[in-house]
Amino acid sequence: MGAARRFKQVDVFTGVAFKGNPLAVVLDADGLSDAQMQAMARWTNLSETTFVLTPRDAQADYRVRIFSPDTEFPFAGHPTLGTAHALLEAGLAPRRAGTLVQECGVGLVPIDVGADGALAFRAPAASLAPLALQHQPLLARVLPGTVIDAGCTPLIATMGIAWLVVRLASAQACLDARVDGAALQELTRLGVTGVAVYGPHDAGGPADYEVRALFTKHGSLVEDPVTGSANACIARVLAAQGFPDGGETSRAYSARQGACLQCDGRIAVTYIDGEPWIGGQSITVIDGIVRV
């Protein structure tokens, strides 16, 4: 029997259980091998499982490794917020009041600790590249019949994970979008994790933007309930494209994700000194120990 290690399962980007994106967190992961971490991530069968380790960088409050059932990621958004939530709930005291510093595969990621319990991470830098002209017919096959906003070039945004960010004509177009899984799998062979589509809501809507993030897994089409990295990439793209909607969205905006899956993820994006911070609530639904 393995050692008893503190374990939580957290629902991220929601204050209501079972409406966000679940994450498994092993809080005492020092001493675990790569193989053990991968085996546990495979066993939880969640999109990600995180393992909290002693930091190597003196500026960090903790180090985290992020595993899917199949591989390790250098960074992912909802695991960043969910891990920080789990650690604060378990009693971690930040070295600097109001801020946690996470060490992960992309370096140090600061996390703001809000008075209301919401957390927000500063989006890592992203490289942005337009989808090559010869691959644009492939995008049309990925999103058959979908009205893409002609004023905003689809961009591949890479921050450890690479999302093809595509702006659609409206939030309803985002909700109605059909995705061809076979074409999307072909697109991922170009080094893209998946496609992140978004569209603006009318004034008075549930959020400023509707977001969906889709990818393929073992040949099948998968939609993510709420995706921190995809929203971080969208935030970087919006800034790079000059905030097509103008007004308040140049400083802060809200997004909803997961409606097509009967989820209700809520993301708050704020720009501080030009840098996007991706925030939201988290809630713990399982709290105990795991023997590994």
Side-chain angles (χ1 to χ4, degrees):
M1 182 69 70
R5 302 172 189 271
R6 290 176 299 166
F7 172 84
K8 292 178 184 282
Q9 193 158 309
V10 178
D11 211 6
V12 186
F13 287 118
T14 182
V16 180
F18 316 125
K19 290 294 184 178
N21 200 351
L23 171 75
V25 184
V26 179
L27 294 167
D28 308 297
D30 284 326
L32 291 178
S33 68
D34 291 6
Q36 286 174 306
M37 293 182 197
Q38 187 65 77
M40 185 172 178
R42 191 177 305 114
W43 177 78
T44 67
N45 201 34
L46 296 177
S47 59
E48 284 95 12
T49 299
T50 63
F51 298 87
V52 179
L53 304 156
T54 301
R56 294 170 176 166
D57 192 307
Q59 299 179 68
D61 291 286
Y62 61 95
R63 181 164 63 99
V64 68
R65 294 181 66 181
I66 305 167
F67 285 80
S68 76
D70 302 309
T71 191
E72 182 175 6
F73 295 138
F75 171 79
H78 98 275
T80 293
L81 293 189
T83 301
H85 166 84
L87 282 166
L88 289 169
E89 188 178 69
L92 176 67
R95 299 185 185 200
R96 195 175 107 196
T99 303
L100 282 172
V101 177
Q102 171 182 285
E103 180 184 347
C104 60
V106 296
L108 300 180
V109 178
I111 301 164
D112 179 73
V113 182
D116 62 351
L119 301 171
F121 66 87
R122 187 178 67 197
S127 64
L128 305 179
L131 184 67
L133 187 63
Q134 66 265 32
H135 299 313
Q136 290 179 12
L138 176 58
L139 176 58
R141 287 170 44 214
V142 171
L143 297 168
T146 301
V147 181
I148 296 173
D149 189 327
C152 295
T153 301
L155 294 177
I156 299 172
T158 304
M159 54 174 66
I161 295 176
W163 290 98
L164 175 58
V165 176
V166 182
R167 182 185 174 98
L168 304 183
S170 66
Q172 192 60 51
C174 182
L175 291 168
D176 292 343
R178 294 182 297 110
V179 178
D180 185 293
L184 181 56
Q185 187 166 17
E186 188 176 342
L187 183 69
T188 62
R189 297 191 188 108
L190 304 176
V192 175
T193 302
V195 61
V197 296
Y198 75 101
H201 276 281
D202 293 332
D208 293 309
Y209 295 105
E210 193 72 33
V211 172
R212 295 175 68 189
L214 301 106
F215 56 97
T216 59
K217 180 178 179 181
H218 304 309
S220 297
L221 180 66
V222 178
E223 180 164 355
D224 208 29
V226 202
T227 320
S229 62
N231 278 280
C233 287
I234 290 170
R236 289 287 186 190
V237 168
L238 278 168
Q241 294 182 330
F243 300 102
D245 300 292
E248 289 301 310
T249 57
S250 64
R251 292 183 287 276
Y253 68 84
S254 61
R256 183 180 73 168
Q257 188 179 346
C260 292
L261 301 175
Q262 289 74 55
C263 293
D264 189 21
R266 298 300 176 117
I267 304 97
V269 179
T270 304
Y271 291 85
I272 301 173
D273 298 327
E275 296 292 312
W277 291 71
I278 314 302
Q281 299 280 346
S282 296
I283 184 170
T284 299
V285 294
I286 298 174
D287 193 348
I289 63 168
V290 61
R291 296 190 179 277
V292 186

